[in-house]
Amino acid sequence: MTTIVAVKKNGVVAIAADTLTTFGNTRLPAGMDASHDKILHFADSHIGVCGSAAHHLVLASLLGKTADLQLNSKAEIFETFRKLHPVLKEECFLNPKEDEEDPYESSQITALIANASGLYGIFSMREVFEYTQFWAIGSGHEFALGAMNLAYARYESAEEIARVGVEAGIAFDTNSAAPITLYTVSLKLATA
């Protein structure tokens, strides 16, 4: 899968990811993949997407041609993904089934969003979280969270902390590998 992290500190949000794509036991390293960046760019937002490689292409396509999509608050992100869900099903042939007891259909997408308004996570049933310091997703997320938990108090730079998180994922997760892609954005209001 992947290691994708985002960090918010001292008025900056950083988002970073490894660049390895895997298909079962097969690894496609960045040097052999013309589209190895796992972070999409939409308006003023950076969106790190994990899970199926198809998600990246589908979201890039939909975000590029769907009007009135906003990602600058929990409510806007929820509404954006609520609007995208029927399109994912009808036009992109999304299979929305996960577990029979799930309360809602799944969009099958897990992503981190970083922009000037903050740091957010969106999950398969359109759950949206806003993070005050950092978060990680993907198969290397546990390693990244542990590393960033220690690094957060030690480093002043969101970029440095994000890099530490992805490096931990690369070191310990078999589905993550270098190089790292990393983007930063200044927050509208300098907090945390």
Side-chain angles (χ1 to χ4, degrees):
M1 277 208 11
T2 191
T3 302
I4 301 174
V5 306
V7 179
K8 178 176 153 181
K9 189 165 186 179
N10 293 328
V12 173
V13 176
I15 187 167
D18 79 295
T19 51
L20 177 68
T21 298
T22 57
F23 308 95
N25 291 326
T26 303
R27 297 165 49 98
L28 177 60
M32 296 179 74
D33 184 357
S35 302
H36 61 267
D37 193 345
K38 297 177 182 178
I39 300 172
L40 293 168
H41 309 282
F42 171 71
D44 66 343
S45 295
H46 303 289
I47 308 164
V49 182
C50 72
S52 172
H55 294 331
H56 196 275
L57 188 57
V58 167
L59 279 178
S61 173
L62 292 179
L63 291 171
K65 68 180 184 182
T66 308
D68 300 327
L69 300 180
Q70 300 292 321
L71 301 172
N72 294 305
S73 70
K74 282 178 68 170
E76 287 180 359
I77 293 166
F78 172 78
E79 284 301 317
T80 291
F81 280 84
R82 186 188 62 75
K83 288 176 187 175
L84 287 177
H85 185 73
V87 178
L88 287 167
K89 285 176 34 179
E90 294 164 18
E91 293 181 24
C92 302
F93 311 106
L94 169 76
N95 178 0
K97 300 225 185 281
E98 280 191 20
D99 188 290
E100 288 296 320
E101 295 182 21
D102 285 341
Y104 300 98
E105 286 185 341
S106 173
S107 291
Q108 306 284 2
I109 293 171
T110 299
L112 290 177
I113 300 168
N115 57 42
S117 70
L119 164 57
Y120 308 92
I122 177 82
F123 296 89
S124 63
M125 290 183 207
R126 291 156 306 284
E127 310 102 308
V128 180
F129 295 90
E130 181 174 5
Y131 302 105
T132 59
Q133 296 178 338
F134 58 84
W135 200 250
I137 58 174
S139 55
H141 82 278
E142 291 175 337
F143 306 114
L145 286 171
M148 291 187 300
N149 187 54
L150 289 175
Y152 199 82
R154 295 179 182 176
Y155 297 104
E156 293 302 311
S157 161
E159 181 177 346
E160 289 176 301
I161 299 162
R163 190 171 300 282
V164 165
V166 178
E167 286 173 350
I170 289 169
F172 297 105
D173 175 43
T174 59
N175 294 307
S176 299
I180 295 171
T181 56
L182 190 144
Y183 303 92
T184 60
V185 62
S186 296
L187 291 166
K188 287 180 188 170
L189 300 173
T191 60

